[in-house]
């Protein structure tokens, strides 16, 4: 059974006329008759009742027509998909990320979808080491990093946006009285954050921000999640730094304050393979660079 047999069957069923079907298929009428006859022999059923005045589907023909049309539709979609893959208009983009990248990623994905409706995006959440390995191995097309990991040979790297840090302080603490925060007001308060083992690049950025403000804070209680960080701050036991775009909904007991002018910002970097990655990483990076989330 070949697609041309199914096409002849479906076209005759739609027109109920072998001559009209031949015109639509751009072949001679005897060829259409032969194709239908061969399909009938292969299936062992009669598909059409034929007289000198009319052509009609038999019950068997009516029962088999939907499957024939579905097979032809699947073949057409397959051709379209192959053409899209060849021209780069459709495809899958695998973006290795972390939960700390923030709302700008969602905005960038909306931009990408508007520009390239044929792209399907997967978002595996991985550690820094896992993301680099995934890009190198080709199991991820592009990875996003907060701060700047060492970039192995063969990979491309670009800073796609920068965001300021903000101080998250107990609402009743003296540091909450001014905006921007006065660094000296934080000097006696421990600082809480996610461990360096979990997020080394972010920890280095936070250390640099504190140094720029002339602070060397003592460590606060050990915590594992951003929610625990905020809960600790709300008790008055510590303060913390968050990237502005990642501050969750405000909680009772905390205040969010800007940092002094000139304080280093956090960088988000995209990393992808220099060769063999296809067009989608570059298109995704362009969408990231063009995106400003609502509220920025």
């Amino acid at each position: 059974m070949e697609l041309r047999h199914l096409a002849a069957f479906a076209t005759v069923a739609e027109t109920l006329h072998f001559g009209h079907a031949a015109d639509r298929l751009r072949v001679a009428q005897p060829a259409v008759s032969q194709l239908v006859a061969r399909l009938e022999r292969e299936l062992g059923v009669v598909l059409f009742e034929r007289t000198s005045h009319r052509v009609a589907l038999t019950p068997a023909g009516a029962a088999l027509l939907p499957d024939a049309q579905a097979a032809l539709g699947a073949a057409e979609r397959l051709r379209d998909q192959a053409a899209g893959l060849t021209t780069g208009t459709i495809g899958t983009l695998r973006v290795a990320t972390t939960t700390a990248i923030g709302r700008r990623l969602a905005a960038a994905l909306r931009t990408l979808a508007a520009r390239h409706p044929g792209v399907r995006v997967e978002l595996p959440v991985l550690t820094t080491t896992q993301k680099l390995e995934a890009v190198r191995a080709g199991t991820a097309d592009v990875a996003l990093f907060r701060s700047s990991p060492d970039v192995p040979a063969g990979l491309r790297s670009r800073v796609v946006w920068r965001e300021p840090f903000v101080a998250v302080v107990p609402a009743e603490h003296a540091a909450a009285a001014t905006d921007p925060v006065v660094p000296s007001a934080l000097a006696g308060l421990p600082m809480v954050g996610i461990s360096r083992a979990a997020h080394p690049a972010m920890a280095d950025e936070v250390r640099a921000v504190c140094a720029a403000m002339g602070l060397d804070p003592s460590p606060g209680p050990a915590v594992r999640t951003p929610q625990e960080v905020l809960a600790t701050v709300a008790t008055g036991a510590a303060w913390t730094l968050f990237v502005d775009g990642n501050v969750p909904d405000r909680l009772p007991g905390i205040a969010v304050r800007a940092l002094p002018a000139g304080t280093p910002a956090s960088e988000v970097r995209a990393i992808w393979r220099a060769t063999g990655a296809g067009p989608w990483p570059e298109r995704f990076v362009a969408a990231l660079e063009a995106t400003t989330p609502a509220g920025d």
Side-chain angles (χ1 to χ4, degrees):
M1 185 187 307
E2 300 177 18
L3 287 175
R4 61 195 183 109
H5 299 144
L6 298 178
F9 167 38
T11 307
V12 173
E14 291 167 6
T15 61
L16 296 178
H17 194 286
F18 277 81
H20 294 166
D23 291 340
R24 185 179 296 183
L25 294 170
R26 298 182 180 178
V27 298
Q29 181 173 331
V32 176
S33 299
Q34 291 169 7
L35 290 169
V36 171
R38 289 175 185 170
L39 183 60
E40 289 176 322
R41 288 195 299 272
E42 183 170 349
L43 296 175
V45 297
V46 176
L47 299 172
F48 296 102
E49 296 175 355
R50 306 166 177 83
T51 70
S52 58
H53 300 293
R54 63 187 292 269
V55 175
L57 279 166
T58 64
L64 294 174
L65 180 61
D67 285 341
Q69 292 171 324
L72 291 167
E76 183 64 25
R77 289 191 297 274
L78 183 63
R79 283 191 288 266
D80 290 344
Q81 186 174 18
L85 291 169
T86 300
T87 60
T89 57
I90 65 172
T92 299
L93 174 69
R94 298 160 300 178
V95 181
T97 183
T98 66
T99 55
I101 290 299
R103 57 197 170 94
R104 193 179 295 257
L105 174 59
L109 293 176
R110 289 193 295 271
T111 299
L112 183 71
R115 293 178 175 182
H116 307 286
V119 65
R120 182 171 67 91
V121 178
E122 298 174 359
L123 295 169
V125 176
L126 305 172
T127 66
T128 297
T129 300
Q130 289 171 336
K131 285 187 290 187
L132 281 174
E133 289 302 319
V135 173
R136 293 177 67 179
T139 56
D141 300 302
V142 61
L144 294 178
F145 297 85
R146 187 68 78 174
S147 176
S148 305
D150 292 334
V151 181
L155 301 184
R156 297 187 61 187
S157 173
R158 187 182 305 168
V159 174
V160 289
W161 78 78
R162 293 177 174 86
E163 291 179 280
F165 282 93
V166 292
V168 181
V169 300
E172 301 302 320
H173 193 273
T178 61
D179 195 9
V181 71
V182 176
S184 60
L186 296 167
L189 191 63
M191 183 178 184
V192 66
I194 304 300
S195 71
R196 190 179 191 284
H199 295 286
M202 175 60 76
D204 290 343
E205 280 197 327
V206 167
R207 186 182 298 109
V209 170
C210 289
M213 293 193 295
L215 296 175
D216 184 17
S218 59
V223 297
R224 294 174 296 177
T225 68
Q227 291 74 21
E228 289 178 308
V229 170
L230 292 175
T232 302
V233 172
T235 68
W239 70 286
T240 192
L241 287 172
F242 263 78
V243 174
D244 188 27
N246 288 351
V247 178
D249 293 338
R250 302 297 193 261
L251 294 176
I254 69 171
V256 179
R257 299 291 182 259
L259 301 185
T263 305
S266 176
E267 293 183 345
V268 172
R269 184 176 296 271
I271 295 179
W272 67 102
R273 295 188 305 282
T275 59
W280 294 108
E282 291 276 4
R283 292 172 181 175
F284 174 63
V285 168
L288 286 170
E289 293 175 330
T291 297
T292 301
D296 275 16

